[in-house]
Amino acid sequence: MFWTVRKTIREEGCAPLRVTRIETSTRTYKPQRRKLLKLSPILFDDIRNDMRNGRIVSFELFIGEEVLRVYIDDKSFAVSSKKSKYLEREITNKIVEEMKRKGPDFCQTFTTRIMTSG
């Protein structure tokens, strides 16, 4: 998801990212009224279980005027863009490029936000 968001920000500017829907095989997660969708441990477990079992998890994201649908399972990734088909190619090309590396090329500020020290 990192490269999906990063490439979209380059197209749309620094508009807020809103996750408006996550669909797993057992549940559809949506924000309540005007609140943001909370990425809880239960939701992450549901996503992880589906991916481990080869089931597709879909995400709907809004960034600026762009609407993205992202589909992920244990072996594949797909993205659909409402506004820019060029963006779809940019995202998938970057992911293919990163998969060839031993480790993904995350910027240092991003890495410190997702990893704990010690």
Side-chain angles (χ1 to χ4, degrees):
M1 297 298 277
F2 173 80
W3 288 114
T4 302
V5 173
R6 186 155 182 183
K7 290 289 184 180
T8 306
I9 286 171
R10 288 191 178 165
E11 293 290 317
E12 291 296 308
C14 288
L17 164 68
R18 290 179 296 135
V19 179
T20 56
R21 182 185 203 98
I22 299 173
E23 294 179 38
T24 67
S25 64
T26 58
R27 190 162 175 205
T28 298
Y29 299 89
K30 294 193 262 185
Q32 299 291 328
R33 297 183 191 157
R34 298 186 54 104
K35 295 183 179 184
L36 298 173
L37 181 60
K38 295 191 184 208
L39 301 176
S40 68
I42 293 168
L43 187 150
F44 277 121
D45 286 343
D46 197 8
I47 292 168
R48 191 174 21 245
N49 287 337
D50 268 9
M51 290 177 68
R52 284 183 180 154
N53 292 309
R55 292 186 294 263
I56 294 173
V57 178
S58 69
F59 299 82
E60 184 176 72
L61 313 168
F62 280 76
I63 302 176
E65 295 179 15
E66 186 62 87
V67 179
L68 299 169
R69 295 282 293 178
V70 176
Y71 306 90
I72 303 172
D73 65 17
D74 64 331
K75 293 187 173 98
S76 64
F77 171 91
V79 63
S80 169
S81 158
K82 187 172 186 176
K83 183 177 159 188
S84 169
K85 296 303 172 189
Y86 169 78
L87 182 58
E88 293 174 5
R89 287 188 303 275
E90 281 287 305
I91 293 167
T92 53
N93 287 346
K94 184 60 178 176
I95 291 171
V96 168
E97 182 182 305
E98 288 301 313
M99 295 305 290
K100 293 176 185 174
R101 296 176 186 231
K102 248 187 181 167
D105 182 22
F106 294 120
C107 66
Q108 289 305 104
T109 57
F110 179 78
T111 306
T112 57
R113 291 179 195 165
I114 61 168
M115 295 183 178
T116 58
S117 60

